[in-house]
Amino acid sequence: MRIHVAASGDTLWAVARRYGTDMNQIILANQLDNPDVLVVGQALVIPEQGREYVVQPGDTLWAIAQRFGVPLQELAQVNQITNPALIFVGDMLVLPYFPYRVRQGDTLWQIARRFGTSMDRIVQVNQISNPAMLSVGQVLYIPREQRPVTEINAYITKTGEEGRSEVLALGRNFTYLSPFTYSIREDGTITEMREILVLEAARATGVAPLLVLTNFRDRSFDSDIAATILRSPELKETLITNIIETMEEKGYTGLNIDFEYVYPEDRENYNDFLRRTVARLRPAGYTVSTALAPKESADQAGLLYEAHDYAAHGEILDFVVIMTYEWGWAGGEPWAIAPINKVRDVLDYAVTEIPPAKIMMGIPLYGRDWKIPWQQGTFARTVSPKEAVQLAARYGVNIQYDEEYQSPFFRYVDASGQEHEVWFEDARSMQAKYETIKEYGLRGGSYWVLGSPFPQNWPVLRNNFTIEK
């Protein structure tokens, strides 16, 4: 897979020819509604011919395996497809092997080293009887290079049929699915959810569901309701009992606690609640994790940050999700949602308090459209990455890329004369995030939130990682 950034004068036909691939494969991989229009600065995912294949209408996994001469089981395994019937138009599949024609002077050792595999694996795949005897022009099938294994969590707010369809289509990319949200009540009970459809889809795609528990009430996080629970040992135990009953009933495999805007004086009360929760859930085989505000230091001031004790969470829990997004928040000035320099500032502190193998880095799947000049009290509109590119195309503006933030953006003027500024994510910005996960040796990444069309993300993810299941 390659990433191509459209330049002035580019056509899809010319781009396909440049990379030696099929134009229709590019259209499907990027879900291009109007292939005749490319925006200068638009990032495209380019499938590599002979190594990757994008599912077309009418395809079956069996037919694809036959077409490329690979065993069906191996094709399913390398793409982490648990049910061969669950493939979707636009899915970019990787092939277990790709062809290589032997050149003058090649040795099997050199070929294996060049493609990041082993001689034994090439010998096995090609049934070579004498590894020292290679012929110029001989076609060898090279096993796909192993990708590092990572864990991926995805939060989802649409828990009906729309959510079910999305999880079925994307589930092979996730380790965990986190339906948002169960909320706490003052008496230690929790609210109800109708999330059975997305839980069924998670099971069908080999994804472990996490019960998300928050202090969310009346469309915002409530400090007082958290204080009521956290300051009462009896209510803590009642709440844990109710959590376990719901997890057993619904088939959850773990708990993800997202308590936000907790009063600073409840910091130790929160830590105590976590210890009590782990003591009861871990022996029953459940994981326990939290979502943490993106802190850059232990003493960072603010109601969002002060009760989140990084060192304690790192010591008590199985893992944490650090919410490294929302710098460009809806009620603030235009900015990248997750500027990579700020994300790294958070991680630089986090790894001093929490083992990297317990950190899931938050990753946004959305962008925002602000009216400018920005005025206090106004709110940006949330847009998907796909919609952002469509906006740039509609208003005939180029997409720019901020190298410091590793984020695309553009400005446009609407029909009423109002100026706008849009920040969003694309294949390049996601590649920068995945490189960061690898560089810091993190457990993985966590998406907020499904439901925002972003076709380029999934092949970029797959090009970087094998997903832990």
Side-chain angles (χ1 to χ4, degrees):
M1 186 218 78
R2 308 282 182 84
I3 296 174
H4 175 80
V5 180
S8 179
D10 269 355
T11 65
L12 205 58
W13 179 85
V15 171
R17 186 178 181 187
R18 173 179 173 178
Y19 290 97
T21 193
D22 180 78
M23 189 168 76
N24 191 51
Q25 289 275 288
I26 301 175
I27 293 170
L28 289 170
N30 293 276
Q31 294 182 19
L32 300 178
D33 297 325
N34 187 353
D36 294 329
V37 177
L38 293 182
V39 178
V40 172
Q42 176 181 359
L44 296 170
V45 165
I46 311 294
E48 288 194 64
Q49 191 120 4
R51 298 196 185 196
E52 293 147 348
Y53 175 77
V54 183
V55 177
Q56 303 182 82
D59 275 341
T60 65
L61 200 64
W62 180 85
I64 296 169
Q66 290 290 306
R67 175 175 180 171
F68 291 99
V70 299
L72 174 63
Q73 185 176 356
E74 287 197 39
L75 183 62
Q77 184 178 5
V78 76
N79 288 283
Q80 298 183 278
I81 296 172
T82 54
N83 181 349
L86 290 178
I87 65 168
F88 299 85
V89 173
D91 267 355
M92 193 169 84
L93 305 181
V94 298
L95 302 178
Y97 330 113
F98 60 89
Y100 173 76
R101 192 173 297 277
V102 176
R103 304 170 186 170
Q104 186 70 40
D106 274 346
T107 67
L108 206 58
W109 179 83
Q110 290 171 330
I111 295 170
R113 187 178 182 189
R114 183 182 309 156
F115 294 111
T117 188
S118 68
M119 287 178 55
D120 288 345
R121 189 80 177 97
I122 297 177
V123 168
Q124 178 187 13
V125 168
N126 293 276
Q127 299 181 339
I128 297 173
S129 56
N130 185 352
M133 297 292 291
L134 295 181
S135 304
V136 174
Q138 178 182 356
V139 175
L140 296 177
Y141 288 91
I142 310 299
R144 178 176 171 81
E145 182 181 357
Q146 293 295 312
R147 302 298 198 260
V149 177
T150 197
E151 291 190 358
I152 295 292
N153 174 57
Y155 289 100
I156 186 167
T157 57
K158 297 176 180 178
T159 56
E161 183 57 43
E162 184 179 351
R164 173 184 175 276
S165 297
E166 186 165 26
V167 175
L168 287 175
L170 298 176
R172 69 190 184 98
N173 299 297
F174 310 139
T175 311
Y176 310 106
L177 183 76
S178 299
F180 192 89
T181 173
Y182 282 90
S183 299
I184 58 175
R185 297 190 181 109
E186 289 92 339
D187 61 356
T189 60
I190 60 177
T191 56
E192 297 178 354
M193 278 189 76
R194 295 180 179 177
E195 80 281 37
I196 295 302
L197 290 178
V198 295
L199 294 181
E200 290 174 350
R203 283 190 285 273
T205 52
V207 181
L210 303 181
L211 186 150
V212 180
L213 184 72
T214 68
N215 58 321
F216 202 71
R217 182 167 64 173
D218 297 330
R219 305 187 69 177
S220 65
F221 288 91
D222 191 309
S223 307
D224 292 327
I225 196 171
T228 298
I229 297 294
L230 297 178
R231 294 174 187 179
S232 167
E234 294 77 19
L235 286 175
K236 289 177 189 175
E237 293 298 332
T238 298
L239 175 58
I240 296 167
T241 297
N242 287 317
I243 292 167
I244 292 172
E245 288 178 357
T246 301
M247 292 174 71
E248 290 176 346
E249 176 191 348
K250 296 288 185 73
Y252 281 100
T253 64
L255 173 67
N256 180 250
I257 303 167
D258 180 13
F259 285 2
E260 300 186 29
Y261 297 97
V262 175
Y263 290 125
E265 55 266 37
D266 286 320
R267 178 184 173 111
E268 286 306 319
N269 292 328
Y270 189 13
N271 291 343
D272 176 69
F273 173 65
L274 296 177
R275 291 188 180 96
R276 290 170 181 262
T277 302
V278 168
R280 292 184 60 184
L281 266 66
R282 191 172 285 162
Y286 296 114
T287 62
V288 183
S289 59
T290 55
L292 290 175
K295 297 173 65 166
E296 296 181 16
S297 64
D299 57 356
Q300 187 162 335
L303 185 59
L304 179 62
Y305 308 102
E306 293 179 46
H308 284 186
D309 185 339
Y310 271 36
H313 286 237
E315 183 264 321
I316 297 167
L317 301 163
D318 294 289
F319 62 89
V320 302
V321 172
I322 302 182
M323 296 179 285
T324 41
Y325 36 71
E326 285 294 280
W327 276 271
W329 69 289
E333 297 187 50
W335 196 7
I337 309 300
I340 202 67
N341 58 326
K342 300 301 293 181
V343 171
R344 293 174 68 92
D345 286 345
V346 171
L347 294 176
D348 286 341
Y349 163 64
V351 297
T352 69
E353 301 276 20
I354 305 170
K358 286 190 174 186
I359 296 174
M360 305 276 276
M361 187 183 90
I363 304 171
L365 294 180
Y366 59 94
R368 290 219 164 93
D369 179 347
W370 286 265
K371 293 179 180 179
I372 56 173
W374 179 76
Q375 294 181 357
Q376 185 75 40
T378 62
F379 288 85
R381 183 173 68 92
T382 299
V383 296
S384 71
K386 183 175 181 179
E387 184 184 357
V389 174
Q390 292 170 336
L391 278 172
R394 183 186 312 159
Y395 291 101
V397 297
N398 296 348
I399 295 171
Q400 303 176 65
Y401 194 77
D402 189 293
E403 293 293 341
E404 180 183 11
Y405 302 151
Q406 287 290 301
S407 180
F409 71 99
F410 60 89
R411 298 181 183 91
Y412 71 94
V413 179
D414 67 23
S416 71
Q418 173 66 55
E419 192 172 3
H420 294 247
E421 184 169 322
V422 178
W423 290 84
F424 64 108
E425 303 292 338
D426 70 2
R428 293 167 291 179
S429 69
M430 299 308 276
Q431 180 63 37
K433 291 172 176 60
Y434 298 141
E435 292 290 350
T436 301
I437 289 173
K438 288 184 278 190
E439 180 183 344
Y440 281 81
L442 305 181
R443 186 186 190 96
S446 177
Y447 295 125
W448 182 267
V449 58
L450 297 183
S452 186
F454 190 4
Q456 292 83 9
N457 176 58
W458 313 112
V460 176
L461 171 68
R462 284 280 171 182
N463 195 54
N464 281 275
F465 298 112
T466 296
I467 311 304
E468 181 71 42
K469 285 288 189 179

